[in-house]
Each structure stands twice: as C-alpha cells, then as structure tokens.
Amino acid sequence: MNDASAPPPAEQGEMPRVFFALWPPAAVADALARAAKAAQRACGGRAMGAESLHLTLAFIGPVLPERLADLRSAADGVEVPGFSLTFDRLGFWKRKGIVWAGCSEPAPELGTLADALSRRLRAAGFVLETRPFTAHMTLLRNASCRGEVPQMDAVRWPMGEFVLVRSRLGAHGARYEPLAIWRLEKTTAPDQ
Ligand code: ATP
Ligand code: MG
C-alpha cells in the first residue's frame, strides 16, 4: 500500500541521490529560463527555473554515504580543457513530455568530458546509464508540443567547471544542492 508520507525510495536509508552536471552561470541560466518560458507558451508543462537548469553528465542515483569519497576521487582524475557550448535548438521527447535545449554543433570536448568521467566512475564500480550520452538541458517537463517545436535564440555558455550535485525529490520537482566542484583545465586561447 502506498504511504503518501513515506520518503521517496531514493531517500530511504539516507542514501543521497547524486549526479554530475554542468551548471550554468547566472546569465546563461537566465537566458535559458527565458527560452523555457517562451517554449511553455507553445507546449505547456512545467518550466524549469533558472536555479534548476543544468546539463547532466553522469547520473549515479542513490549512493551509500561512504561511497561519496570514491565519487570525488573518480572526478579528481578527469582532465579536460574548458570549452564553450552554444544552445540554439529545442527538441521534444514526446513520451517523456520533455522539451530540451541542445546544440546544433556540440563541442567535441563535451563528449570527451562525459566519457572520461563515465569511464572513471565505472572503473570505481559505479553503475551508469548504458545509453549513449545525449547532451541536452531539460527546459520543460510534462509538456505536449503540437505541430512544430518552437525555436530559441542562441545562448552561448563558456564551460569552466563541473559539479557533483545532490537531488532531493519532492512533490513539486527536485531541489538540487551542489556538493563539490571541479575546474576544467584552462585553455591557452582566450575565451572569446
Ligand atoms: P524529477 O525526477 O523530480 O522529475 P529530476 O529528474 O530533475 O526531477 P533526478 O531524477 O534526481 O531529478 O535527476 C537528476 C538529473 O539526472 C536530471 O537531469 C535527470 O534528467 C537526470 N537523470 C535522472 N535519471 C537518469 C537516468 N537514469 N539516466 C540519466 N540521467 C538521469
Ligand atoms: Mg528524474
């Protein structure tokens, strides 16, 4: 029998639910939140607020607290140069009801970063999603776009770090809490 007062399974036994992500700086998050609101006018659903927008690199799920140090060690060994992404297109996953922002020309470093992190996490015994990494930022949930998916103004995001985040699931969506941050290597070329 369901008990509405029971915590969601991921929070039972104090196993924090965690994932690695790229987290946008405020100006980028604000621009993407505006794109989410604009898309919501066409597709309905729940728009992600600027404070919640992120790009998931590797989803771990509920983890034993004593394994958090192993997550950090795995991420410590990731050496990838900083890069930029330009989000310039919206997509719609009908079955999931998700409208997402993506890049028509994703920087190859994004895949390199996701692969390097996943490889090290798997080597440390963490079980990850086996589907190939698809770079996307969820803008709307429970959306239903009829006809053409609306388009968005391009948003450029200079990427200098990635984060380990705790997700606390609630009735009105997840709340995210950063646990640790890793700087990407500085590139020699100035970021235009
Ligand atoms: P909610 O589950 O309440 O809708 P959420 O999906 O944002 O909120 P989580 O389920 O904790 O919160 O997920 C955190 C991040 O990891 C989100 O970006 C989510 O899309 C992604 N994610 C969740 N489950 C998986 C999975 N099995 N594989 C890959 N990414 C996942
Ligand atoms: Mg989820």
Side-chain angles (χ1 to χ4, degrees), residues 126-191:
F126 293 98
V127 178
L128 304 179
E129 177 77 64
T130 52
R131 281 177 297 183
F133 173 71
T134 48
H136 70 280
M137 294 192 74
T138 297
L139 298 188
L140 299 178
R141 294 180 185 275
N142 305 119
S144 71
C145 304
R146 291 190 187 79
E148 292 268 300
V149 179
Q151 281 319 306
M152 65 175 284
D153 294 332
V155 178
R156 186 169 173 280
W157 175 1
M159 217 65 73
E161 62 201 28
F162 67 95
V163 286
L164 175 64
V165 184
R166 178 171 184 173
S167 169
R168 296 175 190 270
L169 301 181
H172 305 289
R175 279 190 302 115
Y176 307 117
E177 177 190 322
L179 298 180
I181 185 166
W182 287 264
R183 307 274 169 212
L184 297 175
E185 288 169 27
K186 284 214 171 11
T187 45
T188 43
D191 199 22

Short mmCIF file of all heavy atoms in Angstrom, two decimals, residues 126-191:
data_model
loop_
_atom_site.label_atom_id
_atom_site.label_comp_id
_atom_site.label_asym_id
_atom_site.label_seq_id
_atom_site.Cartn_x
_atom_site.Cartn_y
_atom_site.Cartn_z
N PHE A 126 30.86 2.14 -10.10
CA PHE A 126 29.52 2.73 -10.17
C PHE A 126 28.82 2.27 -11.46
O PHE A 126 29.45 2.14 -12.51
CB PHE A 126 29.60 4.27 -10.12
CG PHE A 126 30.08 4.76 -8.79
CD1 PHE A 126 31.41 5.12 -8.60
CD2 PHE A 126 29.22 4.83 -7.70
CE1 PHE A 126 31.87 5.54 -7.36
CE2 PHE A 126 29.66 5.26 -6.45
CZ PHE A 126 30.99 5.61 -6.29
N VAL A 127 27.53 2.04 -11.33
CA VAL A 127 26.75 1.56 -12.48
C VAL A 127 26.05 2.75 -13.11
O VAL A 127 25.28 3.46 -12.44
CB VAL A 127 25.72 0.50 -12.03
CG1 VAL A 127 24.89 0.03 -13.22
CG2 VAL A 127 26.41 -0.67 -11.36
N LEU A 128 26.32 2.97 -14.38
CA LEU A 128 25.76 4.14 -15.07
C LEU A 128 24.83 3.70 -16.19
O LEU A 128 24.85 2.55 -16.64
CB LEU A 128 26.89 4.98 -15.69
CG LEU A 128 27.98 5.47 -14.76
CD1 LEU A 128 29.01 6.26 -15.55
CD2 LEU A 128 27.39 6.34 -13.66
N GLU A 129 24.05 4.65 -16.62
CA GLU A 129 23.21 4.52 -17.81
C GLU A 129 24.05 3.96 -18.97
O GLU A 129 25.18 4.42 -19.18
CB GLU A 129 22.73 5.94 -18.15
CG GLU A 129 21.91 6.11 -19.38
CD GLU A 129 20.50 5.66 -19.19
OE1 GLU A 129 19.77 6.24 -18.38
OE2 GLU A 129 20.14 4.69 -19.89
N THR A 130 23.49 2.97 -19.68
CA THR A 130 24.27 2.40 -20.80
C THR A 130 23.95 3.08 -22.12
O THR A 130 24.70 2.94 -23.08
CB THR A 130 24.01 0.88 -20.93
OG1 THR A 130 22.60 0.69 -20.98
CG2 THR A 130 24.60 0.11 -19.77
N ARG A 131 22.83 3.82 -22.15
CA ARG A 131 22.51 4.52 -23.41
C ARG A 131 23.57 5.58 -23.68
O ARG A 131 24.11 6.17 -22.74
CB ARG A 131 21.13 5.20 -23.31
CG ARG A 131 19.98 4.23 -23.50
CD ARG A 131 18.66 4.92 -23.33
NE ARG A 131 18.51 5.45 -21.97
CZ ARG A 131 17.42 6.07 -21.52
NH1 ARG A 131 16.40 6.25 -22.34
NH2 ARG A 131 17.34 6.50 -20.29
N PRO A 132 23.84 5.84 -24.97
CA PRO A 132 24.86 6.85 -25.27
C PRO A 132 24.47 8.21 -24.69
O PRO A 132 23.27 8.52 -24.57
CB PRO A 132 24.89 6.90 -26.80
CG PRO A 132 24.03 5.79 -27.29
CD PRO A 132 23.23 5.27 -26.16
N PHE A 133 25.47 8.98 -24.34
CA PHE A 133 25.26 10.31 -23.77
C PHE A 133 24.59 11.21 -24.82
O PHE A 133 25.06 11.32 -25.94
CB PHE A 133 26.64 10.87 -23.38
CG PHE A 133 26.62 12.30 -22.94
CD1 PHE A 133 26.05 12.65 -21.72
CD2 PHE A 133 27.18 13.29 -23.73
CE1 PHE A 133 26.05 13.97 -21.30
CE2 PHE A 133 27.19 14.61 -23.31
CZ PHE A 133 26.61 14.95 -22.11
N THR A 134 23.47 11.82 -24.45
CA THR A 134 22.84 12.79 -25.35
C THR A 134 22.79 14.13 -24.61
O THR A 134 22.07 14.27 -23.62
CB THR A 134 21.40 12.40 -25.76
OG1 THR A 134 20.69 12.03 -24.58
CG2 THR A 134 21.36 11.27 -26.75
N ALA A 135 23.60 15.06 -25.09
CA ALA A 135 23.70 16.36 -24.42
C ALA A 135 22.40 17.12 -24.58
O ALA A 135 21.97 17.42 -25.69
CB ALA A 135 24.84 17.16 -25.04
N HIS A 136 21.75 17.40 -23.45
CA HIS A 136 20.52 18.18 -23.51
C HIS A 136 20.29 18.86 -22.18
O HIS A 136 20.77 18.38 -21.14
CB HIS A 136 19.32 17.27 -23.85
CG HIS A 136 18.95 16.35 -22.73
ND1 HIS A 136 19.64 15.17 -22.49
CD2 HIS A 136 18.00 16.43 -21.75
CE1 HIS A 136 19.12 14.58 -21.43
NE2 HIS A 136 18.12 15.32 -20.96
N MET A 137 19.59 19.96 -22.22
CA MET A 137 19.16 20.63 -20.99
C MET A 137 17.65 20.61 -20.97
O MET A 137 17.00 21.18 -21.87
CB MET A 137 19.62 22.08 -20.97
CG MET A 137 21.12 22.19 -20.89
SD MET A 137 21.57 23.87 -20.53
CE MET A 137 21.14 23.98 -18.80
N THR A 138 17.08 20.00 -19.95
CA THR A 138 15.62 19.96 -19.85
C THR A 138 15.10 21.35 -19.51
O THR A 138 15.52 21.95 -18.52
CB THR A 138 15.21 18.96 -18.75
OG1 THR A 138 15.65 17.66 -19.15
CG2 THR A 138 13.68 18.94 -18.56
N LEU A 139 14.20 21.86 -20.36
CA LEU A 139 13.59 23.17 -20.11
C LEU A 139 12.16 23.04 -19.59
O LEU A 139 11.72 23.82 -18.76
CB LEU A 139 13.57 24.01 -21.39
CG LEU A 139 14.90 24.38 -22.05
CD1 LEU A 139 14.65 25.37 -23.19
CD2 LEU A 139 15.89 24.95 -21.07
N LEU A 140 11.41 22.08 -20.15
CA LEU A 140 10.01 21.88 -19.74
C LEU A 140 9.78 20.42 -19.43
O LEU A 140 10.29 19.54 -20.12
CB LEU A 140 9.05 22.24 -20.88
CG LEU A 140 9.01 23.65 -21.44
CD1 LEU A 140 8.00 23.72 -22.59
CD2 LEU A 140 8.63 24.65 -20.35
N ARG A 141 9.00 20.18 -18.40
CA ARG A 141 8.52 18.83 -18.11
C ARG A 141 7.01 18.79 -18.26
O ARG A 141 6.35 19.82 -18.14
CB ARG A 141 8.89 18.42 -16.67
CG ARG A 141 10.38 18.31 -16.46
CD ARG A 141 10.67 17.91 -15.03
NE ARG A 141 12.09 17.92 -14.76
CZ ARG A 141 12.90 16.89 -15.01
NH1 ARG A 141 12.41 15.78 -15.52
NH2 ARG A 141 14.19 16.97 -14.75
N ASN A 142 6.47 17.60 -18.48
CA ASN A 142 5.02 17.41 -18.70
C ASN A 142 4.52 18.30 -19.82
O ASN A 142 3.41 18.84 -19.74
CB ASN A 142 4.23 17.70 -17.41
CG ASN A 142 4.72 16.88 -16.24
OD1 ASN A 142 5.18 17.42 -15.24
ND2 ASN A 142 4.68 15.57 -16.38
N ALA A 143 5.31 18.48 -20.83
CA ALA A 143 4.94 19.34 -21.96
C ALA A 143 4.27 18.51 -23.05
O ALA A 143 4.43 17.29 -23.11
CB ALA A 143 6.18 20.02 -22.51
N SER A 144 3.51 19.18 -23.88
CA SER A 144 2.99 18.50 -25.08
C SER A 144 2.96 19.50 -26.22
O SER A 144 2.15 20.42 -26.23
CB SER A 144 1.62 17.88 -24.83
OG SER A 144 0.66 18.86 -24.72
N CYS A 145 3.89 19.34 -27.12
CA CYS A 145 4.01 20.27 -28.26
C CYS A 145 3.19 19.69 -29.41
O CYS A 145 3.42 18.55 -29.81
CB CYS A 145 5.45 20.40 -28.72
SG CYS A 145 6.58 20.91 -27.43
N ARG A 146 2.29 20.47 -29.91
CA ARG A 146 1.57 20.04 -31.11
C ARG A 146 2.16 20.80 -32.28
O ARG A 146 2.41 21.99 -32.18
CB ARG A 146 0.09 20.33 -30.98
CG ARG A 146 -0.53 19.43 -29.93
CD ARG A 146 -2.03 19.47 -29.91
NE ARG A 146 -2.49 18.71 -28.76
CZ ARG A 146 -2.50 19.18 -27.50
NH1 ARG A 146 -2.12 20.43 -27.25
NH2 ARG A 146 -2.90 18.42 -26.51
N GLY A 147 2.38 20.11 -33.38
CA GLY A 147 2.98 20.76 -34.54
C GLY A 147 4.46 21.03 -34.29
O GLY A 147 5.13 20.29 -33.59
N GLU A 148 4.94 22.10 -34.88
CA GLU A 148 6.36 22.43 -34.81
C GLU A 148 6.80 22.74 -33.38
O GLU A 148 6.09 23.44 -32.66
CB GLU A 148 6.61 23.69 -35.66
CG GLU A 148 6.42 23.48 -37.15
CD GLU A 148 7.72 23.10 -37.82
OE1 GLU A 148 8.67 23.91 -37.75
OE2 GLU A 148 7.77 22.00 -38.41
N VAL A 149 7.97 22.23 -33.02
CA VAL A 149 8.56 22.62 -31.73
C VAL A 149 9.08 24.05 -31.92
O VAL A 149 9.71 24.35 -32.93
CB VAL A 149 9.71 21.66 -31.37
CG1 VAL A 149 10.35 22.06 -30.06
CG2 VAL A 149 9.21 20.24 -31.33
N PRO A 150 8.78 24.96 -30.96
CA PRO A 150 9.24 26.34 -31.15
C PRO A 150 10.77 26.40 -31.18
O PRO A 150 11.44 25.46 -30.76
CB PRO A 150 8.70 27.07 -29.91
CG PRO A 150 8.37 26.01 -28.92
CD PRO A 150 8.08 24.77 -29.70
N GLN A 151 11.30 27.50 -31.67
CA GLN A 151 12.76 27.65 -31.72
C GLN A 151 13.23 28.61 -30.63
O GLN A 151 12.41 29.20 -29.93
CB GLN A 151 13.21 28.07 -33.12
CG GLN A 151 13.23 26.88 -34.07
CD GLN A 151 13.82 25.58 -33.42
OE1 GLN A 151 14.93 25.59 -32.88
NE2 GLN A 151 13.05 24.49 -33.43
N MET A 152 14.52 28.75 -30.49
CA MET A 152 15.05 29.61 -29.41
C MET A 152 16.18 30.48 -29.95
O MET A 152 16.82 30.14 -30.94
CB MET A 152 15.59 28.74 -28.27
CG MET A 152 16.78 27.89 -28.65
SD MET A 152 17.49 26.97 -27.25
CE MET A 152 18.37 28.27 -26.38
N ASP A 153 16.42 31.60 -29.25
CA ASP A 153 17.59 32.42 -29.56
C ASP A 153 18.82 31.70 -29.00
O ASP A 153 18.75 31.11 -27.92
CB ASP A 153 17.47 33.80 -28.89
CG ASP A 153 16.32 34.60 -29.48
OD1 ASP A 153 16.00 34.38 -30.67
OD2 ASP A 153 15.74 35.43 -28.75
N ALA A 154 19.91 31.77 -29.75
CA ALA A 154 21.13 31.07 -29.33
C ALA A 154 21.66 31.65 -28.00
O ALA A 154 21.62 32.85 -27.77
CB ALA A 154 22.19 31.18 -30.41
N VAL A 155 22.12 30.74 -27.16
CA VAL A 155 22.72 31.12 -25.87
C VAL A 155 24.09 30.47 -25.79
O VAL A 155 24.21 29.24 -25.88
CB VAL A 155 21.86 30.61 -24.69
CG1 VAL A 155 22.52 30.98 -23.35
CG2 VAL A 155 20.43 31.14 -24.77
N ARG A 156 25.13 31.28 -25.62
CA ARG A 156 26.49 30.74 -25.52
C ARG A 156 26.89 30.57 -24.06
O ARG A 156 26.68 31.48 -23.25
CB ARG A 156 27.47 31.66 -26.24
CG ARG A 156 28.87 31.11 -26.31
CD ARG A 156 29.73 31.94 -27.24
NE ARG A 156 31.11 31.52 -27.19
CZ ARG A 156 31.96 31.88 -26.24
NH1 ARG A 156 31.57 32.68 -25.26
NH2 ARG A 156 33.20 31.44 -26.26
N TRP A 157 27.44 29.41 -23.75
CA TRP A 157 27.79 29.06 -22.37
C TRP A 157 29.27 28.66 -22.32
O TRP A 157 29.63 27.58 -22.78
CB TRP A 157 26.87 27.92 -21.94
CG TRP A 157 27.15 27.33 -20.58
CD1 TRP A 157 28.11 27.70 -19.68
CD2 TRP A 157 26.45 26.24 -19.97
NE1 TRP A 157 28.03 26.92 -18.56
CE2 TRP A 157 27.03 26.02 -18.72
CE3 TRP A 157 25.37 25.44 -20.39
CZ2 TRP A 157 26.59 25.01 -17.87
CZ3 TRP A 157 24.93 24.44 -19.54
CH2 TRP A 157 25.53 24.24 -18.29
N PRO A 158 30.12 29.50 -21.74
CA PRO A 158 31.52 29.13 -21.56
C PRO A 158 31.64 28.21 -20.35
O PRO A 158 31.17 28.54 -19.26
CB PRO A 158 32.23 30.46 -21.30
CG PRO A 158 31.17 31.50 -21.26
CD PRO A 158 29.83 30.85 -21.23
N MET A 159 32.26 27.06 -20.57
CA MET A 159 32.25 25.99 -19.57
C MET A 159 33.58 25.95 -18.84
O MET A 159 34.61 25.71 -19.48
CB MET A 159 32.08 24.67 -20.35
CG MET A 159 31.25 23.64 -19.72
SD MET A 159 29.56 24.14 -19.56
CE MET A 159 28.98 24.05 -21.23
N GLY A 160 33.59 26.20 -17.55
CA GLY A 160 34.85 26.21 -16.83
C GLY A 160 34.91 25.21 -15.70
O GLY A 160 35.96 25.04 -15.07
N GLU A 161 33.82 24.52 -15.42
CA GLU A 161 33.80 23.63 -14.26
C GLU A 161 32.64 22.63 -14.39
O GLU A 161 31.72 22.82 -15.19
CB GLU A 161 33.59 24.45 -12.98
CG GLU A 161 32.27 25.19 -12.99
CD GLU A 161 32.21 26.39 -12.05
OE1 GLU A 161 33.26 27.00 -11.78
OE2 GLU A 161 31.10 26.71 -11.60
N PHE A 162 32.74 21.57 -13.61
CA PHE A 162 31.58 20.67 -13.48
C PHE A 162 31.37 20.38 -12.01
O PHE A 162 32.26 20.67 -11.18
CB PHE A 162 31.74 19.39 -14.32
CG PHE A 162 32.82 18.44 -13.90
CD1 PHE A 162 32.54 17.37 -13.07
CD2 PHE A 162 34.13 18.60 -14.35
CE1 PHE A 162 33.53 16.49 -12.68
CE2 PHE A 162 35.13 17.71 -13.97
CZ PHE A 162 34.83 16.66 -13.14
N VAL A 163 30.21 19.87 -11.66
CA VAL A 163 29.84 19.75 -10.25
C VAL A 163 29.23 18.38 -9.93
O VAL A 163 28.68 17.71 -10.81
CB VAL A 163 28.80 20.84 -9.83
CG1 VAL A 163 29.47 22.19 -9.71
CG2 VAL A 163 27.64 20.91 -10.80
N LEU A 164 29.35 18.01 -8.67
CA LEU A 164 28.61 16.86 -8.13
C LEU A 164 27.44 17.45 -7.36
O LEU A 164 27.62 18.37 -6.55
CB LEU A 164 29.51 16.04 -7.19
CG LEU A 164 28.84 14.87 -6.46
CD1 LEU A 164 28.36 13.81 -7.45
CD2 LEU A 164 29.81 14.24 -5.45
N VAL A 165 26.24 16.96 -7.65
CA VAL A 165 25.02 17.56 -7.11
C VAL A 165 24.19 16.51 -6.40
O VAL A 165 24.11 15.36 -6.84
CB VAL A 165 24.17 18.16 -8.27
CG1 VAL A 165 22.95 18.89 -7.73
CG2 VAL A 165 25.01 19.10 -9.11
N ARG A 166 23.58 16.91 -5.30
CA ARG A 166 22.60 16.05 -4.64
C ARG A 166 21.21 16.50 -5.09
O ARG A 166 20.91 17.70 -5.13
CB ARG A 166 22.71 16.17 -3.13
CG ARG A 166 21.66 15.34 -2.43
CD ARG A 166 21.90 15.26 -0.95
NE ARG A 166 20.91 14.36 -0.36
CZ ARG A 166 20.92 13.98 0.90
NH1 ARG A 166 21.87 14.40 1.72
NH2 ARG A 166 19.98 13.16 1.36
N SER A 167 20.36 15.54 -5.40
CA SER A 167 19.00 15.83 -5.82
C SER A 167 18.04 15.35 -4.73
O SER A 167 18.11 14.21 -4.29
CB SER A 167 18.72 15.06 -7.12
OG SER A 167 17.36 15.10 -7.44
N ARG A 168 17.19 16.27 -4.27
CA ARG A 168 16.17 15.89 -3.29
C ARG A 168 14.83 15.97 -3.99
O ARG A 168 14.37 17.05 -4.38
CB ARG A 168 16.20 16.84 -2.09
CG ARG A 168 17.50 16.76 -1.30
CD ARG A 168 17.50 17.81 -0.21
NE ARG A 168 18.80 17.93 0.43
CZ ARG A 168 19.20 17.25 1.50
NH1 ARG A 168 18.38 16.37 2.07
NH2 ARG A 168 20.38 17.43 2.01
N LEU A 169 14.22 14.81 -4.18
CA LEU A 169 12.97 14.76 -4.92
C LEU A 169 11.82 15.22 -4.04
O LEU A 169 11.78 14.92 -2.86
CB LEU A 169 12.70 13.33 -5.41
CG LEU A 169 13.77 12.73 -6.33
CD1 LEU A 169 13.37 11.34 -6.76
CD2 LEU A 169 13.99 13.62 -7.55
N GLY A 170 10.91 15.98 -4.62
CA GLY A 170 9.75 16.46 -3.88
C GLY A 170 8.53 16.48 -4.77
O GLY A 170 8.62 16.21 -5.98
N ALA A 171 7.40 16.81 -4.17
CA ALA A 171 6.14 16.79 -4.92
C ALA A 171 6.14 17.83 -6.04
O ALA A 171 5.45 17.67 -7.05
CB ALA A 171 4.98 17.06 -3.97
N HIS A 172 6.93 18.88 -5.89
CA HIS A 172 6.92 19.95 -6.90
C HIS A 172 8.23 19.99 -7.68
O HIS A 172 8.72 21.04 -8.06
CB HIS A 172 6.65 21.30 -6.23
CG HIS A 172 5.39 21.31 -5.42
ND1 HIS A 172 4.14 21.28 -6.01
CD2 HIS A 172 5.17 21.27 -4.09
CE1 HIS A 172 3.22 21.24 -5.06
NE2 HIS A 172 3.81 21.23 -3.89
N GLY A 173 8.81 18.82 -7.89
CA GLY A 173 10.06 18.75 -8.64
C GLY A 173 11.24 18.60 -7.69
O GLY A 173 11.09 18.66 -6.48
N ALA A 174 12.40 18.39 -8.28
CA ALA A 174 13.60 18.14 -7.48
C ALA A 174 14.23 19.46 -7.03
O ALA A 174 14.11 20.47 -7.69
CB ALA A 174 14.60 17.35 -8.32
N ARG A 175 14.89 19.39 -5.86
CA ARG A 175 15.73 20.50 -5.41
C ARG A 175 17.16 20.01 -5.49
O ARG A 175 17.44 18.86 -5.11
CB ARG A 175 15.40 20.90 -3.97
CG ARG A 175 14.18 21.81 -3.87
CD ARG A 175 14.04 22.38 -2.46
NE ARG A 175 13.93 21.34 -1.45
CZ ARG A 175 14.83 21.12 -0.49
NH1 ARG A 175 15.93 21.84 -0.43
NH2 ARG A 175 14.65 20.15 0.39
N TYR A 176 18.04 20.85 -5.98
CA TYR A 176 19.42 20.43 -6.19
C TYR A 176 20.36 21.17 -5.25
O TYR A 176 20.19 22.36 -5.03
CB TYR A 176 19.84 20.70 -7.63
CG TYR A 176 18.91 20.13 -8.66
CD1 TYR A 176 18.22 20.97 -9.53
CD2 TYR A 176 18.70 18.77 -8.76
CE1 TYR A 176 17.36 20.46 -10.48
CE2 TYR A 176 17.84 18.25 -9.71
CZ TYR A 176 17.17 19.10 -10.56
OH TYR A 176 16.32 18.59 -11.49
N GLU A 177 21.37 20.45 -4.79
CA GLU A 177 22.32 21.02 -3.83
C GLU A 177 23.74 20.64 -4.28
O GLU A 177 24.04 19.45 -4.36
CB GLU A 177 22.00 20.40 -2.46
CG GLU A 177 22.88 20.77 -1.34
CD GLU A 177 22.56 19.86 -0.14
OE1 GLU A 177 21.37 19.53 0.09
OE2 GLU A 177 23.51 19.46 0.53
N PRO A 178 24.57 21.62 -4.60
CA PRO A 178 25.93 21.28 -5.04
C PRO A 178 26.75 20.71 -3.89
O PRO A 178 26.68 21.21 -2.76
CB PRO A 178 26.51 22.63 -5.50
CG PRO A 178 25.68 23.67 -4.83
CD PRO A 178 24.33 23.07 -4.56
N LEU A 179 27.50 19.64 -4.16
CA LEU A 179 28.33 19.02 -3.13
C LEU A 179 29.81 19.29 -3.34
O LEU A 179 30.57 19.36 -2.38
CB LEU A 179 28.10 17.50 -3.11
CG LEU A 179 26.70 16.99 -2.80
CD1 LEU A 179 26.67 15.46 -2.83
CD2 LEU A 179 26.23 17.51 -1.44
N ALA A 180 30.22 19.39 -4.61
CA ALA A 180 31.65 19.59 -4.91
C ALA A 180 31.78 20.14 -6.32
O ALA A 180 30.87 19.98 -7.14
CB ALA A 180 32.40 18.27 -4.78
N ILE A 181 32.91 20.78 -6.58
CA ILE A 181 33.11 21.43 -7.88
C ILE A 181 34.52 21.10 -8.39
O ILE A 181 35.45 21.00 -7.58
CB ILE A 181 32.90 22.95 -7.70
CG1 ILE A 181 32.97 23.69 -9.01
CG2 ILE A 181 33.88 23.57 -6.72
CD1 ILE A 181 32.43 25.11 -8.90
N TRP A 182 34.66 20.91 -9.69
CA TRP A 182 35.96 20.66 -10.31
C TRP A 182 36.15 21.65 -11.45
O TRP A 182 35.26 21.79 -12.31
CB TRP A 182 36.02 19.24 -10.89
CG TRP A 182 36.14 18.18 -9.84
CD1 TRP A 182 37.28 17.60 -9.39
CD2 TRP A 182 35.06 17.58 -9.11
NE1 TRP A 182 36.98 16.68 -8.42
CE2 TRP A 182 35.63 16.65 -8.22
CE3 TRP A 182 33.66 17.74 -9.10
CZ2 TRP A 182 34.86 15.88 -7.35
CZ3 TRP A 182 32.90 17.00 -8.24
CH2 TRP A 182 33.50 16.08 -7.36
N ARG A 183 37.28 22.33 -11.44
CA ARG A 183 37.59 23.25 -12.54
C ARG A 183 38.09 22.46 -13.74
O ARG A 183 38.87 21.52 -13.57
CB ARG A 183 38.70 24.23 -12.13
CG ARG A 183 38.41 24.95 -10.84
CD ARG A 183 37.59 26.20 -11.06
NE ARG A 183 37.15 26.69 -9.75
CZ ARG A 183 36.00 27.31 -9.53
NH1 ARG A 183 35.17 27.54 -10.53
NH2 ARG A 183 35.66 27.72 -8.33
N LEU A 184 37.66 22.86 -14.90
CA LEU A 184 38.23 22.29 -16.12
C LEU A 184 39.57 22.99 -16.35
O LEU A 184 39.79 24.11 -15.87
CB LEU A 184 37.29 22.49 -17.30
CG LEU A 184 35.93 21.78 -17.16
CD1 LEU A 184 35.01 22.15 -18.33
CD2 LEU A 184 36.12 20.27 -17.09
N GLU A 185 40.44 22.31 -17.13
CA GLU A 185 41.75 22.92 -17.40
C GLU A 185 41.56 24.20 -18.18
O GLU A 185 40.73 24.28 -19.08
CB GLU A 185 42.59 21.97 -18.25
CG GLU A 185 43.08 20.76 -17.51
CD GLU A 185 43.67 19.75 -18.49
OE1 GLU A 185 44.15 20.14 -19.56
OE2 GLU A 185 43.60 18.56 -18.17
N LYS A 186 42.38 25.17 -17.83
CA LYS A 186 42.33 26.44 -18.57
C LYS A 186 42.94 26.21 -19.95
O LYS A 186 43.95 25.54 -20.08
CB LYS A 186 43.12 27.51 -17.83
CG LYS A 186 42.40 28.07 -16.63
CD LYS A 186 42.73 29.54 -16.46
CE LYS A 186 41.92 30.26 -15.43
NZ LYS A 186 41.09 29.51 -14.54
N THR A 187 42.30 26.78 -20.96
CA THR A 187 42.87 26.67 -22.30
C THR A 187 43.81 27.86 -22.50
O THR A 187 43.65 28.89 -21.87
CB THR A 187 41.76 26.70 -23.37
OG1 THR A 187 40.87 27.75 -23.03
CG2 THR A 187 41.01 25.41 -23.43
N THR A 188 44.77 27.69 -23.42
CA THR A 188 45.71 28.79 -23.66
C THR A 188 45.05 29.91 -24.45
O THR A 188 45.30 31.08 -24.22
CB THR A 188 46.97 28.30 -24.40
OG1 THR A 188 46.54 27.43 -25.43
CG2 THR A 188 47.90 27.58 -23.46
N ALA A 189 44.15 29.53 -25.36
CA ALA A 189 43.47 30.56 -26.16
C ALA A 189 42.45 31.28 -25.28
O ALA A 189 41.74 30.65 -24.51
CB ALA A 189 42.76 29.91 -27.33
N PRO A 190 42.39 32.62 -25.35
CA PRO A 190 41.38 33.33 -24.55
C PRO A 190 39.99 32.97 -25.02
O PRO A 190 39.79 32.71 -26.21
CB PRO A 190 41.69 34.81 -24.81
CG PRO A 190 42.51 34.83 -26.07
CD PRO A 190 43.21 33.52 -26.17
N ASP A 191 39.05 32.92 -24.08
CA ASP A 191 37.66 32.58 -24.40
C ASP A 191 36.96 33.78 -25.01
O ASP A 191 36.81 34.79 -24.34
CB ASP A 191 36.98 32.15 -23.10
CG ASP A 191 35.73 31.36 -23.36
OD1 ASP A 191 35.64 30.81 -24.46
OD2 ASP A 191 34.87 31.33 -22.49
#
